[in-house]
Amino acid sequence: MFEGTEDGSPEEIELRIAAVLTNLPIIRSLAASIAMRADFDLDSIADLRLAVDEACSTLITQGTPDAVLRCSFQVSADEIRFVVTVPSTSDTKPSSDSFGWRVLTTLTDHTATWVDGPSDDSADASSPHLVHIELAKRRVEGLPG
């Protein structure tokens, strides 16, 4: 069973990767490896893999040219929390009415999306917005692990 860090706080794993669809298998594989290491059951591993894929696919389509996805996994004893961020020229968050969003909410225990605008003290008014998707998958109750 996953124990977290020595002080009991969640472990954080971060990946920064070019925001291109051809990199999705790398991100999916990392999500599955993290879930396996945390002793999640096979169905939860598959759900997390698909949800991470959908979240990243959604943000890749909103990214600026040459954007980098920032993927962060926080792993605790009973949950894996995933946050993916991409710079975008749009201040529009992903639609909660889309099929992809319905997939995310079905496969995970928590979903959220938001956009951070360029900082007010930024000298460059054309600075990109940061679009975020956060999701969490909890360990299934009653299973050993």
Side-chain angles (χ1 to χ4, degrees):
M1 179 166 129
F2 180 80
E3 299 296 332
T5 60
E6 286 182 19
D7 66 359
S9 63
E11 179 182 19
E12 186 165 347
I13 299 162
E14 186 173 300
L15 170 68
R16 292 176 189 245
I17 193 163
V20 293
L21 294 172
T22 54
N23 283 336
L24 286 173
I26 296 166
I27 303 166
R28 281 193 311 261
S29 178
L30 179 59
S33 294
I34 290 169
M36 281 187 272
R37 191 179 118 215
D39 258 351
F40 276 58
D41 66 88
L42 291 177
D43 288 337
S44 294
I45 294 168
D47 288 353
L48 182 64
R49 245 179 125 227
L50 287 171
V52 164
D53 182 89
E54 185 60 39
C56 292
S57 298
T58 298
L59 290 193
I60 286 170
T61 63
Q62 287 191 243
T64 59
D66 300 320
V68 172
L69 279 180
R70 179 179 174 262
C71 304
S72 173
F73 295 86
Q74 290 184 341
V75 185
S76 63
D78 61 349
E79 178 182 84
I80 297 173
R81 187 164 295 267
F82 174 72
V83 180
V84 59
T85 305
V86 74
S88 176
T89 56
S90 171
D91 64 353
T92 305
K93 64 183 182 178
S95 171
S96 60
D97 294 329
S98 70
F99 175 75
W101 193 258
R102 293 188 195 284
V103 168
L104 285 177
T105 58
T106 300
L107 295 174
T108 61
D109 299 298
H110 163 80
T111 53
T113 184
W114 68 95
V115 178
D116 293 332
S119 63
D120 294 334
D121 59 349
S122 173
D124 182 6
S126 65
S127 294
H129 299 273
L130 290 176
V131 183
H132 309 266
I133 294 178
E134 177 183 60
L135 55 92
K137 185 68 178 173
R138 294 185 190 102
R139 183 183 311 283
V140 175
E141 296 285 327
L143 290 179

